[in-house]
Amino acid sequence: MLTVYSSIVFDQKFPNALDETSTMNADALISSFPSFDMSGAREGTQTFADHDLAYMQWVSWYYGKPDENQQPKGRKLLDAPGFDNPLYGLWNKDAVIQDGVGGSGVMCMFNMQDSNAVVISPLDNFMASSQYSPAPGVVEFGIMGNVTSVPKGYAMKTIMHFSEHGINGAMNSWGNIVRNYYQKGALSTARSKDITLQYLGFNTDNGAYYYYNTVPGKNYEETMTDVKEYADKVGYKYVLLDSWWYYQGEDGGVTNWTGRPDIFPNGVEAVYKNTGWLVQAHNRWWSPFNEYAKQNGGKYEFIIDSVKNGSVPLEQEFWDDLLSVPASDWGLRVYEQDWLYNGLYLFVSDLLASVSLARTWLLQMGSAAEKNGLTIQYCMPYIRHVLQSLEISAVTQARASDDYKPLVDSEQWRIGGQSILFNAVGISPSKDGIWTTTLQPGSPYGAQGRELHSRLQAAVLTLSTGPIAIGDGIGYSDVELILRSCMKVCHALYYRCY
């Protein structure tokens, strides 16, 4: 146990190799250190008074456990509890702490009578680190339960950081410590290198007007050109190309990450040539039938999981080649890795069975992006992915919300709690796009597609420090509202996010 400034680092070491360690439950632990037990707390004592102690728990994209009877196993889409996170409650003998692969994250315990607060989180090996609550009021930290072996010399650190400046102060100072530990810059560093955090963009993600939807009688290449002509009065600098533009297998996984000719007859390069827009390019998990794997005639080593219908690349060369297409050819600036929770938890068993594979996967991706001058957005992440970004300078942002939908009852805009954590680790929270007017006929959302709170959506989007990308259809933008989020740059034809 090592004291660092106002923090304690718990160092769990494995001097000898361990084999056959799996508990057969990914959401349990194969080790436990440190552990905290509030189950014996007595109401009325000075230290453990039930009315004094509370906790906040950042779990972000926390999903329930998959239905083991679902076929194929693990392919059930899981339900998110909403994004009014972090979760919170009284820290006492009855506290129910979320745990497991999806429920592990960052916790802040605080005293409601003063400004004392404690933040506890993993400090390294984020992708293999989990927490487990075997009983109310008890939380343990260690290696996730499906890991099958631990190499000699492996270690896992957990940090406990103390503050006298409340929850926000504790999270900020904890963030300074963990960022310095990995030499990760503050949020201003992310903003300075990511084009989507500096300029207005156009969104085609889920919730946008042109999500799997084009101008009638036209393909996507022609649609984007039409949008450009209409949107010149706004001045978009980039476009987010969502999952509709590349090849996918019947299982939904990616088979080839290149533009389809029925989508872009003249190649994805034509969008850049016709519009001048830079590109944020979406990607999802890899199909077991992807064309890059040696098993399918490709040139790269992959692990293929034929049971869960997923795959994961093993070589740095794969990522270097995938992201090395000259940006001048099609304007690529941001690589968006979506479906992160699925890729880890549902589609490839080896990612949960190894203490290092998931980390290596993300490090290779980040290294390739850095080499090619790209930044990365993590989408649908667990908190372990958010923490892993500390080691990867190319990761500048992550989704802090569910997908935007123009629906009356949506509270997708509630990202304040998540933003506390994202800011602490030096990345921008992405809220996703918005509609700026209420009714946009011809959208893929039918009669329910309406946005009654566009000003609220625009205000949150502007204040988020994340991307400002508009998802309106041609003829339906509130230009005045959009431009309130920006200031004009006199020497350019575009508007900078303010």
Side-chain angles (χ1 to χ4, degrees):
M1 192 165 65
L2 174 67
T3 301
V4 180
Y5 299 112
S6 55
S7 305
I8 295 174
V9 175
F10 300 90
D11 196 354
Q12 185 178 181
K13 297 182 178 180
F14 296 83
N16 301 310
L18 301 177
D19 295 317
E20 299 182 2
T21 56
S22 176
T23 65
M24 306 303 292
N25 178 4
D27 295 303
L29 300 178
I30 67 169
S31 63
S32 179
F33 181 76
S35 300
F36 302 93
D37 187 351
M38 291 289 290
S39 61
R42 292 179 290 110
E43 185 175 1
T45 63
Q46 183 176 0
T47 305
F48 298 117
D50 285 356
H51 63 279
D52 284 341
L53 297 180
Y55 70 92
M56 300 179 74
Q57 185 182 8
W58 280 267
V59 295
S60 191
W61 279 86
Y62 174 69
Y63 288 78
K65 299 173 178 61
D67 183 354
E68 289 299 321
N69 295 318
Q70 187 82 11
Q71 295 297 327
K73 283 190 175 182
R75 292 304 299 271
K76 178 185 179 184
L77 266 180
L78 310 176
D79 295 324
F83 287 85
D84 51 350
N85 283 326
L87 306 177
Y88 59 90
L90 294 176
W91 180 232
N92 58 26
K93 60 183 176 61
D94 299 315
V96 177
I97 306 300
Q98 300 294 341
D99 60 9
V101 176
S104 296
V106 177
M107 295 184 66
C108 180
M109 286 75 77
F110 58 95
N111 191 315
M112 293 187 288
Q113 306 302 320
D114 55 38
S115 297
N116 292 325
V118 177
V119 179
I120 186 165
S121 77
L123 185 58
D124 62 4
N125 290 306
F126 305 108
M127 297 304 293
S129 178
S130 282
Q131 61 196 51
Y132 182 60
S133 182
V138 178
V139 60
E140 303 172 344
F141 298 83
I143 300 174
M144 59 184 179
N146 264 17
V147 168
T148 56
S149 64
V150 180
K152 180 179 180 180
Y154 187 80
M156 177 174 284
K157 295 181 175 65
T158 303
I159 183 172
M160 176 181 282
H161 174 67
F162 302 87
S163 173
E164 297 178 347
H165 302 288
I167 296 167
N168 285 321
M171 290 298 294
N172 285 336
S173 53
W174 166 82
N176 287 334
I177 289 172
V178 295
R179 287 200 321 273
N180 289 337
Y181 189 83
Y182 288 102
Q183 298 183 324
K184 177 92 172 188
L187 182 56
S188 58
T189 303
R191 290 182 63 81
S192 69
K193 63 197 297 187
D194 188 328
I195 195 74
T196 70
L197 303 180
Q198 300 174 36
Y199 296 95
L200 278 174
F202 187 72
N203 194 306
T204 67
D205 190 9
N206 188 11
Y209 189 94
Y210 295 112
Y211 176 67
Y212 287 88
N213 183 44
T214 62
V215 171
K218 296 189 177 183
N219 58 39
Y220 258 113
E221 182 179 318
E222 296 165 328
T223 297
M224 292 298 100
T225 301
D226 288 355
V227 172
K228 171 65 165 59
E229 293 175 358
Y230 166 71
D232 269 348
K233 55 189 173 183
V234 174
Y236 297 129
K237 180 80 169 185
Y238 72 93
V239 60
L240 189 169
L241 304 181
D242 203 68
S243 57
W244 42 263
W245 68 276
Y246 49 76
Y247 293 89
Q248 301 170 31
E250 293 183 359
D251 57 355
V254 183
T255 55
N256 190 308
W257 197 63
T258 56
R260 292 164 38 193
D262 58 320
I263 300 293
F264 298 127
N266 297 299
V268 66
E269 298 85 359
V271 175
Y272 183 44
K273 179 180 178 181
N274 295 340
T275 66
W277 287 343
L278 301 172
V279 173
Q280 175 179 332
H282 176 282
N283 201 3
R284 52 173 64 189
W285 76 94
W286 297 104
S287 166
F289 307 105
N290 78 78
E291 297 174 15
Y292 304 99
K294 286 184 176 179
Q295 296 92 322
N296 302 322
K299 61 177 290 190
Y300 306 102
E301 296 285 352
F302 269 70
I303 289 177
I304 302 291
D305 191 324
S306 57
V307 175
K308 291 191 172 182
N309 289 328
S311 65
V312 62
L314 298 177
E315 298 180 71
Q316 182 66 60
E317 183 184 8
F318 165 78
W319 288 107
D320 291 347
D321 291 348
L322 186 77
L323 300 181
S324 68
V325 177
S328 59
D329 285 356
W330 61 300
L332 179 63
R333 290 294 186 276
V334 180
Y335 175 77
E336 178 186 344
Q337 183 60 66
D338 198 359
W339 295 74
L340 279 168
Y341 90 89
N342 305 66
L344 177 69
Y345 198 59
L346 299 183
F347 296 152
V348 183
S349 296
D350 283 24
L351 286 170
L352 295 180
S354 169
V355 292
S356 60
L357 180 59
R359 175 175 176 264
T360 299
W361 162 51
L362 296 177
L363 289 178
Q364 289 178 347
M365 182 194 305
S367 175
E370 191 77 16
K371 291 175 186 175
N372 290 286
L374 308 179
T375 59
I376 294 175
Q377 182 192 91
Y378 283 170
C379 195
M380 295 172 66
Y382 285 142
I383 291 299
R384 64 185 64 237
H385 295 100
V386 174
L387 293 175
Q388 184 59 55
S389 73
L390 287 162
E391 285 193 85
I392 306 171
S393 61
V395 179
T396 53
Q397 55 177 293
R399 280 283 292 277
S401 71
D402 204 344
D403 288 350
Y404 170 77
K405 287 288 185 66
L407 303 173
V408 175
D409 297 326
S410 172
E411 293 191 343
Q412 178 266 359
W413 56 270
R414 293 181 178 271
I415 64 170
Q418 301 293 13
S419 299
I420 295 172
L421 172 63
F422 285 38
N423 178 73
V425 299
I427 60 177
S428 282
S430 170
K431 180 209 162 294
D432 202 13
I434 63 168
W435 281 13
T436 62
T437 56
T438 300
L439 295 174
Q440 301 196 15
S443 83
Y445 313 103
Q448 290 186 325
R450 57 183 62 201
E451 177 52 78
L452 298 181
H453 308 290
S454 57
R455 292 180 180 272
L456 169 63
Q457 296 283 358
V460 173
L461 194 64
T462 303
L463 295 172
S464 70
T465 76
I468 299 178
I470 308 302
D472 293 331
I474 293 173
Y476 300 126
S477 290
D478 184 336
V479 177
E480 180 183 359
L481 179 61
I482 295 171
L483 295 184
R484 287 185 179 185
S485 67
C486 300
M487 62 181 180
K488 189 172 184 179
V489 180
C490 296
H491 62 274
L493 296 176
Y494 303 104
Y495 295 83
R496 184 182 293 273
C497 298
Y498 183 67

